[in-house]
Every structure is written in structure tokens, then in C-alpha cells.
Amino acid sequence: MVNAKFSPSLMTMDLDKFKDQITFLNKHVDSYHIDIMDGHFVPNITLSPWFIEQVKRISSVPISTHLMVTNPTQWIDQLIKIGSDYICVHAEVMNGIAYRLINQVHNANLKFGVVLNPETKIDVITPYIDLVDKITIMTVDPGFAGEKFIDNTLEKIRELRVLRNINNFGYLIEMDGSSNKNTFEKIQKAGPDIYILGRSGLFGLNESIEESWHEMLEDFNKAKSQIL
């Protein structure tokens, strides 16, 4: 089993407690996950590059931007300028521009991630899998918080681990969607490197972010003990 890294999804945080929550999480998390949605790729509109700038004012924790957009080329320059540590694009919109995007991000000394929807097979990213720094497996349908967990997505996490070991690839494996006490055990069995935590797994557990964090760790470690 891999050592877990945690990445809170900031679209599910309590924005009226923005500074207090970020200040606490800065001491505990491995990265922040920031969703940008355009209302076209998914039927929702969420965070923005401006939001990333506000986080960076009070945090040095790495930021991973998840672009749920139809036209990622419209966003890359701005995210590079801001300095998003990871820029992650859906495989479903990368056909014909994949190498250009990857090179553009790497030339800026930033890291490139690719995201796969639940229905998208790993074969789609085979041509450039050796070039990406992170692969995110959506374990729910994208676009909204609170979606139902899709169990068969975990097989892609297992497959990515095997491919990485056989080929000595360098990508991290991340899961995104409904990571909480009800799913921790089966997710851990699949073995991603990074767990994205949303409202059901972190921010909605308690009024206090400190209490929520400790409750999440207790749930996570309890699930881990069931496997060991």
C-alpha cells in the first residue's frame, strides 16, 4: 500500500471561513485541488484563476488545477502566469492538442496532469502516458459535489499502478470523487497516491476544520487497519 497524500477540493470548503481553513490545512495537506468549470464541459461553473491567486497569497502548498473545460487552450497561459503547480486537463478534450499542451506546461517548469472520466479507458492516453506527471481517475461523474461513487473506476487505478511498475513511468495516480469513510477501504485497496477530499470526506464533517481533519484521519486509518 502506498503512503497516502491528501488534496482538499477547495470548491467544497466553507468560503466564509476561507482564511482560517487554509491556514490550518497549510500545515497538514500535500496539495490543494482547485476545480475550474466552464459550464460547457460540465453543466456547472465554479472556481477561477482569481481564486488560485487568493490561495497563493496565504499558502505555499502546491496547487493542482483541474480544468473541466471544453477548450483548455484558453486557460493555460493564465494558469502558467499564476504558477499553478499542476495543470490537469481532461483526456476527452485533448485529441489533437495533447503534445502541444504538455510541452507548453513543461516548458514553463510546471507539471502536467491528465484526467479521465469514469467511461474513458486508459488506452486513450497511451500515446503520451510517459510524458504526464499525474493521472487523475474520476470516481464519480464530474461537475458536481456529492455524486455517487462508481466502483468499477478503481480498476483503472490498479491498472495504472501495474503500468507504472512495468514501464518505470513517473506519474502520480490520483482519485477524485466521493472519498470518505464509506469508500476509504476500497479506494485504499486500489492504491492511488493522492486522495482528493471534498465535503463528504472533510469539509462537511464538523463545523471546525481542525475537528474535521482529525475525524477524516480517524476514518482513513480505521479503513487502513481493516486491510493490514
Side-chain angles (χ1 to χ4, degrees), residues 84-106:
S84 177
D85 300 272
Y86 282 86
I87 299 174
C88 305
V89 180
H90 271 263
E92 297 83 10
V93 298
M94 284 178 60
N95 190 40
I97 57 173
Y99 293 99
R100 186 180 310 136
L101 293 180
I102 293 169
N103 289 334
Q104 184 179 1
V105 171
H106 283 166

mmCIF file with all atom_site columns, all heavy atoms in Angstrom, residues 84-106:
data_model
loop_
_atom_site.group_PDB
_atom_site.id
_atom_site.type_symbol
_atom_site.label_atom_id
_atom_site.label_alt_id
_atom_site.label_comp_id
_atom_site.label_asym_id
_atom_site.label_entity_id
_atom_site.label_seq_id
_atom_site.pdbx_PDB_ins_code
_atom_site.Cartn_x
_atom_site.Cartn_y
_atom_site.Cartn_z
_atom_site.occupancy
_atom_site.B_iso_or_equiv
_atom_site.pdbx_formal_charge
_atom_site.auth_seq_id
_atom_site.auth_comp_id
_atom_site.auth_asym_id
_atom_site.auth_atom_id
_atom_site.pdbx_PDB_model_num
ATOM 1   N N   . SER A 1 84  ? 0.239   27.807 -11.236 1.00 0.00 ? 84  SER A N   1
ATOM 2   C CA  . SER A 1 84  ? -0.377  26.582 -10.736 1.00 0.00 ? 84  SER A CA  1
ATOM 3   C C   . SER A 1 84  ? 0.620   25.441 -10.889 1.00 0.00 ? 84  SER A C   1
ATOM 4   O O   . SER A 1 84  ? 1.112   25.180 -11.989 1.00 0.00 ? 84  SER A O   1
ATOM 5   C CB  . SER A 1 84  ? -1.663  26.274 -11.515 1.00 0.00 ? 84  SER A CB  1
ATOM 6   O OG  . SER A 1 84  ? -2.229  25.061 -11.088 1.00 0.00 ? 84  SER A OG  1
ATOM 7   N N   . ASP A 1 85  ? 0.914   24.747 -9.799  1.00 0.00 ? 85  ASP A N   1
ATOM 8   C CA  . ASP A 1 85  ? 1.983   23.747 -9.827  1.00 0.00 ? 85  ASP A CA  1
ATOM 9   C C   . ASP A 1 85  ? 1.665   22.581 -10.755 1.00 0.00 ? 85  ASP A C   1
ATOM 10  O O   . ASP A 1 85  ? 2.549   22.063 -11.439 1.00 0.00 ? 85  ASP A O   1
ATOM 11  C CB  . ASP A 1 85  ? 2.232   23.239 -8.408  1.00 0.00 ? 85  ASP A CB  1
ATOM 12  C CG  . ASP A 1 85  ? 2.654   24.355 -7.472  1.00 0.00 ? 85  ASP A CG  1
ATOM 13  O OD1 . ASP A 1 85  ? 3.860   24.636 -7.382  1.00 0.00 ? 85  ASP A OD1 1
ATOM 14  O OD2 . ASP A 1 85  ? 1.764   24.974 -6.854  1.00 0.00 ? 85  ASP A OD2 1
ATOM 15  N N   . TYR A 1 86  ? 0.416   22.164 -10.759 1.00 0.00 ? 86  TYR A N   1
ATOM 16  C CA  . TYR A 1 86  ? -0.073  21.150 -11.699 1.00 0.00 ? 86  TYR A CA  1
ATOM 17  C C   . TYR A 1 86  ? -1.207  21.764 -12.506 1.00 0.00 ? 86  TYR A C   1
ATOM 18  O O   . TYR A 1 86  ? -2.080  22.431 -11.946 1.00 0.00 ? 86  TYR A O   1
ATOM 19  C CB  . TYR A 1 86  ? -0.624  19.917 -10.969 1.00 0.00 ? 86  TYR A CB  1
ATOM 20  C CG  . TYR A 1 86  ? 0.412   18.969 -10.434 1.00 0.00 ? 86  TYR A CG  1
ATOM 21  C CD1 . TYR A 1 86  ? 0.984   19.171 -9.187  1.00 0.00 ? 86  TYR A CD1 1
ATOM 22  C CD2 . TYR A 1 86  ? 0.815   17.847 -11.164 1.00 0.00 ? 86  TYR A CD2 1
ATOM 23  C CE1 . TYR A 1 86  ? 1.928   18.296 -8.670  1.00 0.00 ? 86  TYR A CE1 1
ATOM 24  C CE2 . TYR A 1 86  ? 1.751   16.966 -10.666 1.00 0.00 ? 86  TYR A CE2 1
ATOM 25  C CZ  . TYR A 1 86  ? 2.307   17.190 -9.421  1.00 0.00 ? 86  TYR A CZ  1
ATOM 26  O OH  . TYR A 1 86  ? 3.241   16.323 -8.917  1.00 0.00 ? 86  TYR A OH  1
ATOM 27  N N   . ILE A 1 87  ? -1.202  21.535 -13.796 1.00 0.00 ? 87  ILE A N   1
ATOM 28  C CA  . ILE A 1 87  ? -2.314  21.915 -14.658 1.00 0.00 ? 87  ILE A CA  1
ATOM 29  C C   . ILE A 1 87  ? -2.847  20.627 -15.265 1.00 0.00 ? 87  ILE A C   1
ATOM 30  O O   . ILE A 1 87  ? -2.135  19.939 -16.006 1.00 0.00 ? 87  ILE A O   1
ATOM 31  C CB  . ILE A 1 87  ? -1.878  22.906 -15.748 1.00 0.00 ? 87  ILE A CB  1
ATOM 32  C CG1 . ILE A 1 87  ? -1.339  24.191 -15.102 1.00 0.00 ? 87  ILE A CG1 1
ATOM 33  C CG2 . ILE A 1 87  ? -3.040  23.218 -16.686 1.00 0.00 ? 87  ILE A CG2 1
ATOM 34  C CD1 . ILE A 1 87  ? -0.757  25.186 -16.082 1.00 0.00 ? 87  ILE A CD1 1
ATOM 35  N N   . CYS A 1 88  ? -4.091  20.293 -14.934 1.00 0.00 ? 88  CYS A N   1
ATOM 36  C CA  . CYS A 1 88  ? -4.654  18.988 -15.277 1.00 0.00 ? 88  CYS A CA  1
ATOM 37  C C   . CYS A 1 88  ? -5.820  19.155 -16.248 1.00 0.00 ? 88  CYS A C   1
ATOM 38  O O   . CYS A 1 88  ? -6.769  19.903 -15.966 1.00 0.00 ? 88  CYS A O   1
ATOM 39  C CB  . CYS A 1 88  ? -5.121  18.272 -14.015 1.00 0.00 ? 88  CYS A CB  1
ATOM 40  S SG  . CYS A 1 88  ? -3.822  18.120 -12.753 1.00 0.00 ? 88  CYS A SG  1
ATOM 41  N N   . VAL A 1 89  ? -5.747  18.451 -17.362 1.00 0.00 ? 89  VAL A N   1
ATOM 42  C CA  . VAL A 1 89  ? -6.709  18.596 -18.457 1.00 0.00 ? 89  VAL A CA  1
ATOM 43  C C   . VAL A 1 89  ? -7.377  17.249 -18.721 1.00 0.00 ? 89  VAL A C   1
ATOM 44  O O   . VAL A 1 89  ? -6.728  16.198 -18.650 1.00 0.00 ? 89  VAL A O   1
ATOM 45  C CB  . VAL A 1 89  ? -6.002  19.102 -19.731 1.00 0.00 ? 89  VAL A CB  1
ATOM 46  C CG1 . VAL A 1 89  ? -6.990  19.259 -20.880 1.00 0.00 ? 89  VAL A CG1 1
ATOM 47  C CG2 . VAL A 1 89  ? -5.271  20.422 -19.459 1.00 0.00 ? 89  VAL A CG2 1
ATOM 48  N N   . HIS A 1 90  ? -8.646  17.288 -19.059 1.00 0.00 ? 90  HIS A N   1
ATOM 49  C CA  . HIS A 1 90  ? -9.365  16.049 -19.365 1.00 0.00 ? 90  HIS A CA  1
ATOM 50  C C   . HIS A 1 90  ? -8.903  15.455 -20.694 1.00 0.00 ? 90  HIS A C   1
ATOM 51  O O   . HIS A 1 90  ? -8.793  16.162 -21.703 1.00 0.00 ? 90  HIS A O   1
ATOM 52  C CB  . HIS A 1 90  ? -10.869 16.311 -19.411 1.00 0.00 ? 90  HIS A CB  1
ATOM 53  C CG  . HIS A 1 90  ? -11.521 16.142 -18.078 1.00 0.00 ? 90  HIS A CG  1
ATOM 54  N ND1 . HIS A 1 90  ? -12.157 14.985 -17.713 1.00 0.00 ? 90  HIS A ND1 1
ATOM 55  C CD2 . HIS A 1 90  ? -11.584 16.974 -17.004 1.00 0.00 ? 90  HIS A CD2 1
ATOM 56  C CE1 . HIS A 1 90  ? -12.618 15.107 -16.477 1.00 0.00 ? 90  HIS A CE1 1
ATOM 57  N NE2 . HIS A 1 90  ? -12.279 16.310 -16.027 1.00 0.00 ? 90  HIS A NE2 1
ATOM 58  N N   . ALA A 1 91  ? -8.666  14.145 -20.676 1.00 0.00 ? 91  ALA A N   1
ATOM 59  C CA  . ALA A 1 91  ? -8.257  13.441 -21.893 1.00 0.00 ? 91  ALA A CA  1
ATOM 60  C C   . ALA A 1 91  ? -9.297  13.595 -22.992 1.00 0.00 ? 91  ALA A C   1
ATOM 61  O O   . ALA A 1 91  ? -8.956  13.584 -24.178 1.00 0.00 ? 91  ALA A O   1
ATOM 62  C CB  . ALA A 1 91  ? -8.038  11.958 -21.580 1.00 0.00 ? 91  ALA A CB  1
ATOM 63  N N   . GLU A 1 92  ? -10.552 13.758 -22.607 1.00 0.00 ? 92  GLU A N   1
ATOM 64  C CA  . GLU A 1 92  ? -11.648 13.810 -23.575 1.00 0.00 ? 92  GLU A CA  1
ATOM 65  C C   . GLU A 1 92  ? -11.577 15.039 -24.484 1.00 0.00 ? 92  GLU A C   1
ATOM 66  O O   . GLU A 1 92  ? -12.218 15.060 -25.530 1.00 0.00 ? 92  GLU A O   1
ATOM 67  C CB  . GLU A 1 92  ? -12.993 13.785 -22.843 1.00 0.00 ? 92  GLU A CB  1
ATOM 68  C CG  . GLU A 1 92  ? -13.260 12.516 -22.051 1.00 0.00 ? 92  GLU A CG  1
ATOM 69  C CD  . GLU A 1 92  ? -12.618 12.504 -20.678 1.00 0.00 ? 92  GLU A CD  1
ATOM 70  O OE1 . GLU A 1 92  ? -12.114 13.562 -20.230 1.00 0.00 ? 92  GLU A OE1 1
ATOM 71  O OE2 . GLU A 1 92  ? -12.633 11.433 -20.041 1.00 0.00 ? 92  GLU A OE2 1
ATOM 72  N N   . VAL A 1 93  ? -10.809 16.071 -24.096 1.00 0.00 ? 93  VAL A N   1
ATOM 73  C CA  . VAL A 1 93  ? -10.720 17.285 -24.922 1.00 0.00 ? 93  VAL A CA  1
ATOM 74  C C   . VAL A 1 93  ? -9.295  17.516 -25.428 1.00 0.00 ? 93  VAL A C   1
ATOM 75  O O   . VAL A 1 93  ? -8.993  18.599 -25.938 1.00 0.00 ? 93  VAL A O   1
ATOM 76  C CB  . VAL A 1 93  ? -11.199 18.531 -24.138 1.00 0.00 ? 93  VAL A CB  1
ATOM 77  C CG1 . VAL A 1 93  ? -12.655 18.380 -23.757 1.00 0.00 ? 93  VAL A CG1 1
ATOM 78  C CG2 . VAL A 1 93  ? -10.334 18.790 -22.907 1.00 0.00 ? 93  VAL A CG2 1
ATOM 79  N N   . MET A 1 94  ? -8.437  16.502 -25.317 1.00 0.00 ? 94  MET A N   1
ATOM 80  C CA  . MET A 1 94  ? -7.023  16.690 -25.665 1.00 0.00 ? 94  MET A CA  1
ATOM 81  C C   . MET A 1 94  ? -6.643  16.179 -27.052 1.00 0.00 ? 94  MET A C   1
ATOM 82  O O   . MET A 1 94  ? -5.515  16.400 -27.499 1.00 0.00 ? 94  MET A O   1
ATOM 83  C CB  . MET A 1 94  ? -6.117  16.031 -24.615 1.00 0.00 ? 94  MET A CB  1
ATOM 84  C CG  . MET A 1 94  ? -6.032  16.827 -23.335 1.00 0.00 ? 94  MET A CG  1
ATOM 85  S SD  . MET A 1 94  ? -5.004  16.044 -22.066 1.00 0.00 ? 94  MET A SD  1
ATOM 86  C CE  . MET A 1 94  ? -3.409  15.935 -22.881 1.00 0.00 ? 94  MET A CE  1
ATOM 87  N N   . ASN A 1 95  ? -7.546  15.513 -27.729 1.00 0.00 ? 95  ASN A N   1
ATOM 88  C CA  . ASN A 1 95  ? -7.194  14.962 -29.032 1.00 0.00 ? 95  ASN A CA  1
ATOM 89  C C   . ASN A 1 95  ? -6.790  16.070 -30.004 1.00 0.00 ? 95  ASN A C   1
ATOM 90  O O   . ASN A 1 95  ? -7.541  17.016 -30.242 1.00 0.00 ? 95  ASN A O   1
ATOM 91  C CB  . ASN A 1 95  ? -8.385  14.177 -29.613 1.00 0.00 ? 95  ASN A CB  1
ATOM 92  C CG  . ASN A 1 95  ? -7.999  13.390 -30.845 1.00 0.00 ? 95  ASN A CG  1
ATOM 93  O OD1 . ASN A 1 95  ? -6.919  12.811 -30.894 1.00 0.00 ? 95  ASN A OD1 1
ATOM 94  N ND2 . ASN A 1 95  ? -8.871  13.370 -31.837 1.00 0.00 ? 95  ASN A ND2 1
ATOM 95  N N   . GLY A 1 96  ? -5.595  15.967 -30.552 1.00 0.00 ? 96  GLY A N   1
ATOM 96  C CA  . GLY A 1 96  ? -5.091  16.952 -31.497 1.00 0.00 ? 96  GLY A CA  1
ATOM 97  C C   . GLY A 1 96  ? -4.274  18.069 -30.879 1.00 0.00 ? 96  GLY A C   1
ATOM 98  O O   . GLY A 1 96  ? -3.613  18.830 -31.596 1.00 0.00 ? 96  GLY A O   1
ATOM 99  N N   . ILE A 1 97  ? -4.306  18.185 -29.531 1.00 0.00 ? 97  ILE A N   1
ATOM 100 C CA  . ILE A 1 97  ? -3.547  19.248 -28.862 1.00 0.00 ? 97  ILE A CA  1
ATOM 101 C C   . ILE A 1 97  ? -2.729  18.722 -27.678 1.00 0.00 ? 97  ILE A C   1
ATOM 102 O O   . ILE A 1 97  ? -2.106  19.506 -26.963 1.00 0.00 ? 97  ILE A O   1
ATOM 103 C CB  . ILE A 1 97  ? -4.468  20.386 -28.368 1.00 0.00 ? 97  ILE A CB  1
ATOM 104 C CG1 . ILE A 1 97  ? -5.542  19.837 -27.419 1.00 0.00 ? 97  ILE A CG1 1
ATOM 105 C CG2 . ILE A 1 97  ? -5.099  21.126 -29.543 1.00 0.00 ? 97  ILE A CG2 1
ATOM 106 C CD1 . ILE A 1 97  ? -6.380  20.928 -26.759 1.00 0.00 ? 97  ILE A CD1 1
ATOM 107 N N   . ALA A 1 98  ? -2.727  17.421 -27.464 1.00 0.00 ? 98  ALA A N   1
ATOM 108 C CA  . ALA A 1 98  ? -2.119  16.850 -26.261 1.00 0.00 ? 98  ALA A CA  1
ATOM 109 C C   . ALA A 1 98  ? -0.637  17.215 -26.128 1.00 0.00 ? 98  ALA A C   1
ATOM 110 O O   . ALA A 1 98  ? -0.197  17.726 -25.093 1.00 0.00 ? 98  ALA A O   1
ATOM 111 C CB  . ALA A 1 98  ? -2.282  15.329 -26.247 1.00 0.00 ? 98  ALA A CB  1
ATOM 112 N N   . TYR A 1 99  ? 0.143   16.968 -27.169 1.00 0.00 ? 99  TYR A N   1
ATOM 113 C CA  . TYR A 1 99  ? 1.581   17.218 -27.083 1.00 0.00 ? 99  TYR A CA  1
ATOM 114 C C   . TYR A 1 99  ? 1.880   18.703 -26.944 1.00 0.00 ? 99  TYR A C   1
ATOM 115 O O   . TYR A 1 99  ? 2.804   19.105 -26.227 1.00 0.00 ? 99  TYR A O   1
ATOM 116 C CB  . TYR A 1 99  ? 2.292   16.628 -28.301 1.00 0.00 ? 99  TYR A CB  1
ATOM 117 C CG  . TYR A 1 99  ? 2.244   15.128 -28.341 1.00 0.00 ? 99  TYR A CG  1
ATOM 118 C CD1 . TYR A 1 99  ? 1.300   14.466 -29.131 1.00 0.00 ? 99  TYR A CD1 1
ATOM 119 C CD2 . TYR A 1 99  ? 3.125   14.367 -27.592 1.00 0.00 ? 99  TYR A CD2 1
ATOM 120 C CE1 . TYR A 1 99  ? 1.229   13.084 -29.157 1.00 0.00 ? 99  TYR A CE1 1
ATOM 121 C CE2 . TYR A 1 99  ? 3.070   12.981 -27.611 1.00 0.00 ? 99  TYR A CE2 1
ATOM 122 C CZ  . TYR A 1 99  ? 2.128   12.347 -28.395 1.00 0.00 ? 99  TYR A CZ  1
ATOM 123 O OH  . TYR A 1 99  ? 2.063   10.973 -28.418 1.00 0.00 ? 99  TYR A OH  1
ATOM 124 N N   . ARG A 1 100 ? 1.088   19.532 -27.607 1.00 0.00 ? 100 ARG A N   1
ATOM 125 C CA  . ARG A 1 100 ? 1.276   20.976 -27.516 1.00 0.00 ? 100 ARG A CA  1
ATOM 126 C C   . ARG A 1 100 ? 1.048   21.460 -26.091 1.00 0.00 ? 100 ARG A C   1
ATOM 127 O O   . ARG A 1 100 ? 1.835   22.239 -25.541 1.00 0.00 ? 100 ARG A O   1
ATOM 128 C CB  . ARG A 1 100 ? 0.314   21.678 -28.478 1.00 0.00 ? 100 ARG A CB  1
ATOM 129 C CG  . ARG A 1 100 ? 0.520   23.187 -28.589 1.00 0.00 ? 100 ARG A CG  1
ATOM 130 C CD  . ARG A 1 100 ? -0.487  23.802 -29.562 1.00 0.00 ? 100 ARG A CD  1
ATOM 131 N NE  . ARG A 1 100 ? -0.516  23.062 -30.830 1.00 0.00 ? 100 ARG A NE  1
ATOM 132 C CZ  . ARG A 1 100 ? -1.628  22.727 -31.467 1.00 0.00 ? 100 ARG A CZ  1
ATOM 133 N NH1 . ARG A 1 100 ? -2.807  23.065 -30.973 1.00 0.00 ? 100 ARG A NH1 1
ATOM 134 N NH2 . ARG A 1 100 ? -1.569  22.063 -32.614 1.00 0.00 ? 100 ARG A NH2 1
ATOM 135 N N   . LEU A 1 101 ? -0.024  20.980 -25.466 1.00 0.00 ? 101 LEU A N   1
ATOM 136 C CA  . LEU A 1 101 ? -0.319  21.384 -24.095 1.00 0.00 ? 101 LEU A CA  1
ATOM 137 C C   . LEU A 1 101 ? 0.738   20.894 -23.116 1.00 0.00 ? 101 LEU A C   1
ATOM 138 O O   . LEU A 1 101 ? 1.191   21.647 -22.236 1.00 0.00 ? 101 LEU A O   1
ATOM 139 C CB  . LEU A 1 101 ? -1.695  20.854 -23.678 1.00 0.00 ? 101 LEU A CB  1
ATOM 140 C CG  . LEU A 1 101 ? -2.925  21.425 -24.381 1.00 0.00 ? 101 LEU A CG  1
ATOM 141 C CD1 . LEU A 1 101 ? -4.182  20.770 -23.832 1.00 0.00 ? 101 LEU A CD1 1
ATOM 142 C CD2 . LEU A 1 101 ? -3.000  22.931 -24.218 1.00 0.00 ? 101 LEU A CD2 1
ATOM 143 N N   . ILE A 1 102 ? 1.108   19.639 -23.249 1.00 0.00 ? 102 ILE A N   1
ATOM 144 C CA  . ILE A 1 102 ? 2.118   19.068 -22.340 1.00 0.00 ? 102 ILE A CA  1
ATOM 145 C C   . ILE A 1 102 ? 3.422   19.832 -22.443 1.00 0.00 ? 102 ILE A C   1
ATOM 146 O O   . ILE A 1 102 ? 4.041   20.206 -21.428 1.00 0.00 ? 102 ILE A O   1
ATOM 147 C CB  . ILE A 1 102 ? 2.324   17.574 -22.645 1.00 0.00 ? 102 ILE A CB  1
ATOM 148 C CG1 . ILE A 1 102 ? 1.065   16.775 -22.306 1.00 0.00 ? 102 ILE A CG1 1
ATOM 149 C CG2 . ILE A 1 102 ? 3.512   17.027 -21.851 1.00 0.00 ? 102 ILE A CG2 1
ATOM 150 C CD1 . ILE A 1 102 ? 1.059   15.352 -22.816 1.00 0.00 ? 102 ILE A CD1 1
ATOM 151 N N   . ASN A 1 103 ? 3.856   20.095 -23.669 1.00 0.00 ? 103 ASN A N   1
ATOM 152 C CA  . ASN A 1 103 ? 5.117   20.828 -23.859 1.00 0.00 ? 103 ASN A CA  1
ATOM 153 C C   . ASN A 1 103 ? 5.020   22.254 -23.327 1.00 0.00 ? 103 ASN A C   1
ATOM 154 O O   . ASN A 1 103 ? 5.982   22.771 -22.729 1.00 0.00 ? 103 ASN A O   1
ATOM 155 C CB  . ASN A 1 103 ? 5.489   20.854 -25.342 1.00 0.00 ? 103 ASN A CB  1
ATOM 156 C CG  . ASN A 1 103 ? 5.933   19.503 -25.856 1.00 0.00 ? 103 ASN A CG  1
ATOM 157 O OD1 . ASN A 1 103 ? 6.417   18.666 -25.086 1.00 0.00 ? 103 ASN A OD1 1
ATOM 158 N ND2 . ASN A 1 103 ? 5.787   19.271 -27.153 1.00 0.00 ? 103 ASN A ND2 1
ATOM 159 N N   . GLN A 1 104 ? 3.889   22.901 -23.528 1.00 0.00 ? 104 GLN A N   1
ATOM 160 C CA  . GLN A 1 104 ? 3.715   24.273 -23.063 1.00 0.00 ? 104 GLN A CA  1
ATOM 161 C C   . GLN A 1 104 ? 3.840   24.349 -21.542 1.00 0.00 ? 104 GLN A C   1
ATOM 162 O O   . GLN A 1 104 ? 4.516   25.240 -21.007 1.00 0.00 ? 104 GLN A O   1
ATOM 163 C CB  . GLN A 1 104 ? 2.346   24.807 -23.500 1.00 0.00 ? 104 GLN A CB  1
ATOM 164 C CG  . GLN A 1 104 ? 2.113   26.273 -23.148 1.00 0.00 ? 104 GLN A CG  1
ATOM 165 C CD  . GLN A 1 104 ? 0.755   26.770 -23.620 1.00 0.00 ? 104 GLN A CD  1
ATOM 166 O OE1 . GLN A 1 104 ? -0.039  26.019 -24.196 1.00 0.00 ? 104 GLN A OE1 1
ATOM 167 N NE2 . GLN A 1 104 ? 0.476   28.032 -23.375 1.00 0.00 ? 104 GLN A NE2 1
ATOM 168 N N   . VAL A 1 105 ? 3.216   23.413 -20.846 1.00 0.00 ? 105 VAL A N   1
ATOM 169 C CA  . VAL A 1 105 ? 3.276   23.407 -19.384 1.00 0.00 ? 105 VAL A CA  1
ATOM 170 C C   . VAL A 1 105 ? 4.667   23.040 -18.892 1.00 0.00 ? 105 VAL A C   1
ATOM 171 O O   . VAL A 1 105 ? 5.222   23.679 -17.993 1.00 0.00 ? 105 VAL A O   1
ATOM 172 C CB  . VAL A 1 105 ? 2.212   22.442 -18.815 1.00 0.00 ? 105 VAL A CB  1
ATOM 173 C CG1 . VAL A 1 105 ? 2.393   22.256 -17.307 1.00 0.00 ? 105 VAL A CG1 1
ATOM 174 C CG2 . VAL A 1 105 ? 0.810   22.961 -19.124 1.00 0.00 ? 105 VAL A CG2 1
ATOM 175 N N   . HIS A 1 106 ? 5.277   22.033 -19.491 1.00 0.00 ? 106 HIS A N   1
ATOM 176 C CA  . HIS A 1 106 ? 6.621   21.628 -19.072 1.00 0.00 ? 106 HIS A CA  1
ATOM 177 C C   . HIS A 1 106 ? 7.657   22.702 -19.377 1.00 0.00 ? 106 HIS A C   1
ATOM 178 O O   . HIS A 1 106 ? 8.612   22.894 -18.596 1.00 0.00 ? 106 HIS A O   1
ATOM 179 C CB  . HIS A 1 106 ? 7.006   20.316 -19.750 1.00 0.00 ? 106 HIS A CB  1
ATOM 180 C CG  . HIS A 1 106 ? 6.359   19.113 -19.141 1.00 0.00 ? 106 HIS A CG  1
ATOM 181 N ND1 . HIS A 1 106 ? 6.332   17.874 -19.742 1.00 0.00 ? 106 HIS A ND1 1
ATOM 182 C CD2 . HIS A 1 106 ? 5.708   18.958 -17.955 1.00 0.00 ? 106 HIS A CD2 1
ATOM 183 C CE1 . HIS A 1 106 ? 5.703   17.013 -18.967 1.00 0.00 ? 106 HIS A CE1 1
ATOM 184 N NE2 . HIS A 1 106 ? 5.311   17.643 -17.876 1.00 0.00 ? 106 HIS A NE2 1
#
